[in-house]
Amino acid sequence: MASESGRKMIKTISDEKYMRMALRLAAKASGRTSPNPLVGAVVVKNGKLISRGYHRKAGEPHAEAIALAKAGRAAKGATLYVTLEPCSHTNKRTPPCTPLVMQSGVKRVVVAMIDPNPHVSGGGIKALRKAGIDVQTGVLEADAKKLNEAFIKHVTTGMPFVTLKIAQTLDGRIATASGESKWITGEKAREQGHRLRNTNDAILVGINTVLKDDPSLTTRIPHGRDPLRIIVDTKLRTPLTAKVLKQRSSAKTCIVTLDSMPKDKLGELLDAGAEILIAKGKNGQVDLKDLMRMLGSFGVMSVLIEGGSTVNASALQSGIVDKVVLFAAPLLMTGVDSVCSIGGKSPARLSKAIRLYRVTSQTVGQDLMVSGYTRP
């Protein structure tokens, strides 16, 4: 006969198994649900998977609603696994999920993480427990929080989660003195970079990147989604022939500038299809923190920065960067005249250097990919 501790162990293993399934489902919609979170749900009864669902994009049914609708009457007495606390509030597009869960007849709900929205956090769980449903929380919570790190940042601060992506040589260089930079990293690393674009709401570069490389800033992987293309351009130097204006894409191109911009170029860029956003200035440059506040207010939940030396330095110095993803090719550029990946001035003391936390590394093709967070 199994002991009480043995039954708990079996229950834990089973709960983690189905929660991993729900997390994988949720991840299918990465980059497509803003400003909503990524959520997956599965319904299990007597050790058998009954149904599953995930939230595909804002305005469409929530994961719990999809999974419970598929389960139908079979949901009665079942367990619902969901990666985020069922919502107890009505938004502009969809009704709350807690009434659906209560009406379905499920006897148990297993939740990975509590809703981080300070206005509703814990409300759904409280309502379910009040209705007599057994609710367990915290199953694979760390995995769920990592999956929804952009949503958590946005819903608690109003700011987007910012990832700084750098592709450089092993000695920290991104171009020769003449400006040659294609291609430092290999094909596999570049493909991984496109996967980052696919899962972010927006991609940001500086005007120098547009002038030197003429990038399209699109996502070139199967079933990829183009992010909003943002160009920081205080003097409106973006050429009308630039790929970000000429190349067909489902994504808009937004040029961020200052009120002191040359007004004669404004109409031409608007006619070319660009949107113009006027941000606050700081030392003659766009205040990136103010820009992030504006983007957050527009529902942009995540931003990928693929800038050059100057933009990379400005982003880090402004404190907007949450995560760094660095691809290092097995190349040594050498030379003080080559372009380093992060410009600006170095700190006066080593203690002022930016330390990364929760660092991971892996090889991607022949290149090394290192990821880390700027805050513990």
Side-chain angles (χ1 to χ4, degrees):
M1 183 175 179
S3 66
E4 181 65 24
S5 61
R7 285 195 293 269
K8 287 182 179 178
M9 179 64 72
I10 292 170
K11 181 183 286 187
T12 300
I13 293 171
S14 177
D15 286 346
E16 290 188 357
K17 170 188 172 181
Y18 290 116
M19 189 60 76
R20 288 194 192 283
M21 185 183 297
L23 286 166
R24 286 195 296 270
L25 284 167
K28 287 185 174 185
S30 291
R32 288 151 174 81
T33 62
S34 295
N36 291 351
L38 296 164
V39 185
V42 298
V43 177
V44 178
K45 190 173 183 179
N46 299 325
K48 180 182 178 182
L49 176 66
I50 302 298
S51 63
R52 52 191 173 182
Y54 67 97
H55 183 48
R56 295 175 181 271
K57 66 178 183 178
E60 293 197 2
H62 290 180
E64 306 96 309
I66 294 171
L68 291 172
K70 288 181 179 178
R73 293 181 179 179
K76 188 172 183 178
T79 297
L80 170 68
Y81 293 86
V82 61
T83 58
L84 182 70
E85 173 187 1
C87 58
S88 57
H89 64 291
T90 303
N91 61 32
K92 294 179 180 179
R93 298 180 177 180
T94 50
C97 290
T98 47
L100 291 174
V101 176
M102 290 185 280
Q103 292 162 15
S104 70
V106 298
K107 69 176 183 180
R108 183 169 177 255
V109 176
V110 180
V111 177
M113 64 175 283
I114 295 171
D115 192 332
N117 187 334
H119 300 295
V120 298
S121 182
I125 291 171
K126 184 178 179 180
L128 294 176
R129 284 176 173 161
K130 190 175 180 180
I133 297 173
D134 176 23
V135 181
Q136 182 178 350
T137 63
V139 176
L140 300 184
E141 182 179 20
D143 299 71
K145 286 183 174 180
K146 182 171 175 55
L147 178 68
N148 267 313
E149 57 191 6
F151 172 74
I152 294 171
K153 168 86 180 288
H154 186 255
V155 80
T156 56
T157 69
M159 304 269 281
F161 185 91
V162 179
T163 301
L164 174 62
K165 177 239 171 182
I166 298 173
Q168 62 173 45
T169 61
L170 207 55
D171 55 343
R173 305 289 156 166
I174 58 173
T176 64
S178 63
E180 183 184 358
S181 61
K182 294 183 179 179
W183 295 103
I184 287 177
T185 52
E187 185 177 345
K188 292 290 185 183
R190 296 199 298 276
E191 181 181 322
Q192 189 68 23
H194 283 283
R195 295 189 185 282
L196 282 173
R197 292 182 181 183
N198 179 55
T199 56
N200 276 270
D201 292 340
I203 180 171
L204 182 148
V205 299
I207 181 58
N208 288 333
T209 296
V210 174
L211 294 175
K212 290 177 182 177
D213 299 336
D214 192 21
S216 60
L217 303 181
T218 54
T219 301
R220 294 184 288 282
I221 56 173
H223 311 295
R225 164 190 153 278
D226 292 344
L228 169 68
R229 298 174 290 184
I230 301 172
I231 303 165
V232 178
D233 182 6
T234 57
K235 297 180 180 177
L236 297 187
R237 293 187 291 157
T238 302
L240 299 177
T241 56
K243 288 180 181 176
V244 288
L245 296 177
K246 288 291 186 180
Q247 190 161 322
R248 182 177 295 178
S249 170
S250 58
K252 295 178 180 179
T253 295
C254 177
I255 297 176
V256 182
T257 189
L258 300 176
D259 193 46
S260 58
M261 63 181 167
K263 303 297 190 292
D264 58 318
K265 295 185 178 180
L266 180 60
E268 292 179 340
L269 288 169
L270 288 171
D271 290 341
E275 294 189 352
I276 305 295
L277 183 62
I278 300 176
K280 290 181 181 178
K282 189 173 184 180
N283 300 322
Q285 302 297 321
V286 168
D287 184 335
L288 293 179
K289 187 167 283 189
D290 177 65
L291 173 58
M292 292 304 120
R293 289 192 193 99
M294 286 196 290
L295 293 175
S297 69
F298 300 152
V300 174
M301 215 158 63
S302 57
V303 176
L304 177 67
I305 297 178
E306 288 192 18
S309 180
T310 302
V311 168
N312 292 348
S314 297
L316 286 167
Q317 289 165 4
S318 68
I320 65 169
V321 177
D322 297 289
K323 185 178 183 180
V324 176
V325 178
L326 188 148
F327 296 90
L331 299 172
L332 298 173
M333 183 91 67
T334 75
V336 295
D337 57 343
S338 56
V339 183
C340 65
S341 58
I342 302 171
K345 293 183 178 181
S346 61
R349 312 184 86 172
L350 186 59
S351 61
K352 298 296 183 182
I354 298 171
R355 180 173 295 277
L356 298 183
Y357 303 86
R358 291 172 282 155
V359 176
T360 60
S361 62
Q362 66 182 87
T363 54
V364 181
Q366 291 186 328
D367 303 315
L368 177 66
M369 184 178 87
V370 179
S371 301
Y373 295 83
T374 59
R375 300 172 186 86

